[in-house]
Amino acid sequence: MPKAIKKKSLKKTEDTEAEVQETLSSLKDTLQQRQKTALTYAGIVLAVLIGIGGFMIYSSSSEKKAKALEYQAHKIFYRSSQAQPANKEDQFGKSLELFRQAYDAKKSPYSLFYIAACSYELGKYDDALTTLKEFTQKYPDEEKYLPLVYQKMAMTYVKKGDVGEAKKTLDALYRLKGGFFRDLALIEHGRLLEKEGNAEEAKKKYQELAEKFPDSPFHDEAKAKLPGKKEG
């Protein structure tokens, strides 16, 4: 009996050692796998951070380049420096080129509006309208520029002889959120109606301007268009 017990105990010990070795080996494999996974994730995170950092540097660089180009284009557009092109075509042509370069470097409503403004000054009315419509689609919430965009669009339609579209655009300008240039929309609409011979409708626009916008620079003009009060 004692001999049998001794053999059994020895076998049990050997089995236990084998299990421990197997467990240690399995644990080692698991740790190695986890280490590889951790390194993989670390590599991905590092790549993302490098990408973000690179994008931020590129974005900052692009913005600086765009601002510099806009500054030069603005000076030429308004002739605010000594070295200016000799004629209108050269002036607005050069300004247009610089504003386009600025917009390519960094998309901005400022550059896009002035691309349209340059096209207008050059008599390229179809190009101006295309750019202005693009502006309303890309920047529908730009309250700072939208009144100027619709005003320029209305003027462009007038230049093209499309009075109907000009009046529609002035109506859109009048309805814009914020109420900027509403007096301008009324006076311009009244002028167009008057030129068409529609005196009664024109009078309504002048009347509204005179009543609602007493501080408007167009107030006196609108009031002068209305019939005076009869005495007695």
Side-chain angles (χ1 to χ4, degrees), residues 72-98:
Q72 292 298 323
H74 182 92
K75 287 201 303 181
I76 295 173
F77 188 93
Y78 290 105
R79 289 184 176 274
S80 56
S81 67
Q82 297 297 322
Q84 293 293 341
N87 57 59
K88 180 177 178 179
E89 186 174 347
D90 288 343
Q91 175 190 352
F92 294 110
K94 181 61 177 176
S95 184
L96 175 60
E97 178 185 347
L98 290 171

Side-chain angles (χ1 to χ4, degrees), residues 7-19:
K7 289 180 179 180
K8 186 176 182 181
S9 177
L10 181 60
K11 183 177 182 183
K12 185 176 181 181
T13 302
E14 291 175 349
D15 289 344
T16 301
E17 289 179 356
E19 288 177 3

Side-chain angles (χ1 to χ4, degrees), residues 95-109:
S95 184
L96 175 60
E97 178 185 347
L98 290 171
F99 274 122
R100 281 177 172 165
Q101 290 178 18
Y103 191 71
D104 287 340
K106 183 75 173 180
K107 299 291 185 290
S108 77

Side-chain angles (χ1 to χ4, degrees), residues 138-168:
K138 286 189 173 181
Y139 305 105
D141 299 319
E142 281 288 343
E143 294 182 17
K144 181 179 178 181
Y145 291 102
L146 277 176
L148 296 171
V149 168
Y150 279 98
Q151 180 207 16
K152 184 66 70 175
M153 196 181 296
M155 293 170 62
T156 306
Y157 278 123
V158 170
K159 288 289 188 180
K160 285 174 62 67
D162 194 341
V163 177
E165 286 299 321
K167 290 189 292 185
K168 289 180 183 177

Side-chain angles (χ1 to χ4, degrees), residues 44-60:
I44 292 172
V45 171
L46 181 61
V48 170
L49 290 174
I50 291 173
I52 292 173
F55 174 77
M56 291 178 67
I57 293 171
Y58 171 78
S59 180
S60 175

Side-chain angles (χ1 to χ4, degrees), residues 118-181:
C118 289
S119 296
Y120 175 89
E121 295 296 337
L122 290 168
K124 299 178 179 180
Y125 301 127
D126 289 333
D127 290 346
L129 282 174
T130 297
T131 304
L132 292 167
K133 289 175 182 178
E134 179 184 350
F135 189 108
T136 62
Q137 294 171 357
K138 286 189 173 181
Y139 305 105
D141 299 319
E142 281 288 343
E143 294 182 17
K144 181 179 178 181
Y145 291 102
L146 277 176
L148 296 171
V149 168
Y150 279 98
Q151 180 207 16
K152 184 66 70 175
M153 196 181 296
M155 293 170 62
T156 306
Y157 278 123
V158 170
K159 288 289 188 180
K160 285 174 62 67
D162 194 341
V163 177
E165 286 299 321
K167 290 189 292 185
K168 289 180 183 177
T169 305
L170 290 170
D171 284 339
L173 173 59
Y174 183 86
R175 295 191 301 269
L176 277 181
K177 182 181 177 182
F180 300 113
F181 288 15

